[in-house]
Amino acid sequence: EENLPTVCFNSCYACGEAVMITIELGEGAITVDETGLYIAGGGNFGGPGDYPLNDDDGDGVWTLTIERPVNFSSFYTFTNGACPDWSCKENIAGQDCANPDNFNDRFMGPITQDTTIATCFGLCYTSTDCSDPNAGDITFEVDMNSYANAFTTVYLSGTMNGWSGDANPLSDDDGDGVWTTTLPLNGGQYEYKFQVDGWADQELFNEGDPCTVTNGGFTNRFMEVMGDASVCWIWNTCSECSVGTNDLDYADNLFEVRPTLVQNETQVLFGANFTDFKTLHVFNAIGQLVEAVEIPAGTDRFTLDAAQLEDGLYFINVETQGMQQTQRIIVNRK
């Protein structure tokens, strides 16, 4: 005869030794994969697809209730779909609930009583109201006129789609060589690049290129979403196609910036070989023009007043004598 341990009705644990954890996940502005949303990771929630959430009433809030022992703790994340390679994982890097030492996952616990965790996919919110004052419709454009090889379709790949090879195709309906797509994105920072035909070819950048950021050995384009915006780049360059640089050659000695970490002002120093009239444009991190200056011939330097600029990343573009160059600065007064 064997005496089995006493458990509570409809529970895997003894009475008083378990907690019920309810997950409530707002989908926000994302397009939910046909397989749905999942909680995953942390050594307790398996891989994408193992723990599905449900939205039976179609209100955009996905839920799951699970039983765990008292004082349960775990890292975890959410995935948009059941991708085996984790490419559909949410990206919360840089937000306050992300742990950079654990794959930028979230953390729960220790949980000592029945608990509801309410948040939003891709956001460190504490409710399922996923309205984001910085969200916007972002138009991405890339000028492919200088691309020499044959291709069928240009795609946008980045942290907004898990670096998918085919999730966000661009189109060129008017045949002018500029390919376009518009995506609704939550506010925040994104890395991305353009590629063709499902990674048959891709943009390749060097660390320090002015329109890029380097993380984990990978150098990609960078932007910060702060509302509706448009960006347009020439393929595989940091040249902003919307300011007419398509026919300009690139010069790496046209100017330098001192300092590049700016509080109130910085000096733009022009190369000795560039003495003609110049135009200087300043763009913010999402490609919006924030300042345009005409600089007379013979001027060897320009003082850029950053007092009116918000903290963040900016790009300085200078054109003269059929040449152009772009460099980046960071305004930080903290």
Side-chain angles (χ1 to χ4, degrees):
E1 180 177 336
E2 182 180 357
N3 293 322
L4 298 176
T6 302
V7 297
C8 275
F9 179 77
N10 201 34
S11 172
C12 294
Y13 301 91
C15 295
E17 295 184 3
V19 292
M20 303 302 293
I21 305 171
T22 298
I23 305 297
E24 296 181 351
L25 179 66
E27 65 183 49
I30 67 171
T31 300
V32 176
D33 184 83
E34 61 181 9
T35 63
L37 301 179
Y38 300 84
I39 186 172
N44 291 286
F45 298 106
D50 291 341
Y51 283 81
L53 285 72
N54 298 294
D55 181 21
D56 294 333
D57 59 5
D59 65 351
V61 177
W62 295 70
T63 63
L64 172 68
T65 299
I66 52 178
E67 185 181 45
R68 289 294 184 268
V70 173
N71 292 317
F72 176 78
S73 298
S74 182
F75 288 101
Y76 69 103
T77 189
F78 296 108
T79 67
N80 184 10
C83 55
D85 60 359
W86 293 89
S87 62
C88 56
K89 173 185 172 179
E90 65 176 348
N91 177 39
I92 56 172
Q95 299 185 47
D96 57 10
C97 70
N99 188 308
D101 297 324
N102 288 275
F103 309 103
N104 284 308
D105 285 353
R106 305 172 187 256
F107 185 78
M108 66 171 73
I111 297 177
T112 59
Q113 60 186 4
D114 293 351
T115 299
T116 296
I117 297 174
T119 188
C120 290
F121 189 93
L123 296 168
C124 288
Y125 285 12
T126 56
S127 77
T128 57
D129 180 0
C130 303
S131 56
D132 182 352
N134 292 319
D137 290 332
I138 310 300
T139 297
F140 293 88
E141 294 183 297
V142 59
D143 186 336
M144 299 296 293
N145 285 296
S146 62
Y147 187 74
N149 300 323
F151 69 95
T152 301
T153 304
V154 182
Y155 293 90
L156 174 73
S157 299
T159 53
M160 69 284 292
N161 60 17
W163 296 99
S164 170
D166 58 4
N168 296 115
L170 285 74
S171 60
D172 180 19
D173 295 336
D174 58 6
D176 65 351
V178 178
W179 292 68
T180 302
T181 190
T182 300
L183 300 180
L185 294 178
N186 291 319
Q189 298 178 346
Y190 295 86
E191 295 179 40
Y192 69 99
K193 63 171 54 176
F194 300 103
Q195 48 92 4
V196 298
D197 297 337
W199 297 108
D201 194 9
Q202 62 179 286
E203 297 182 301
L204 295 173
F205 297 99
N206 296 314
E207 184 172 353
D209 284 347
C211 60
T212 69
V213 65
T214 300
N215 284 318
F218 296 96
T219 301
N220 302 302
R221 295 190 185 275
F222 170 86
M223 71 177 303
E224 184 170 4
V225 174
M226 297 178 291
D228 294 348
S230 297
V231 294
C232 183
W233 300 103
I234 298 175
W235 166 268
N236 207 48
T237 75
C238 288
S239 298
E240 167 72 49
C241 53
S242 64
V243 298
T245 61
N246 302 42
D247 298 327
L248 301 180
D249 293 326
Y250 189 82
D252 60 8
N253 61 343
L254 199 161
F255 72 97
E256 60 179 312
V257 183
R258 300 179 185 170
T260 55
L261 183 60
V262 183
Q263 291 188 330
N264 295 311
E265 65 180 33
T266 189
Q267 297 293 315
V268 181
L269 308 174
F270 303 112
N273 295 328
F274 300 96
T275 58
D276 287 359
F277 172 88
K278 302 173 183 68
T279 57
L280 182 147
H281 297 91
V282 181
F283 300 91
N284 63 19
I286 58 175
Q288 295 172 321
L289 181 66
V290 297
E291 186 171 353
V293 181
E294 296 183 350
I295 299 173
T299 304
D300 63 358
R301 68 181 57 206
F302 171 76
T303 300
L304 176 64
D305 183 4
Q308 304 303 315
L309 299 178
E310 298 180 353
D311 285 5
L313 176 69
Y314 294 86
F315 301 100
I316 300 174
N317 175 271
V318 176
E319 302 173 22
T320 186
Q321 300 172 211
M323 309 291 286
Q324 64 91 20
Q325 183 183 357
T326 301
Q327 295 196 37
R328 64 181 176 182
I329 61 172
I330 296 176
V331 177
N332 188 343
R333 300 183 183 87
K334 297 180 181 178

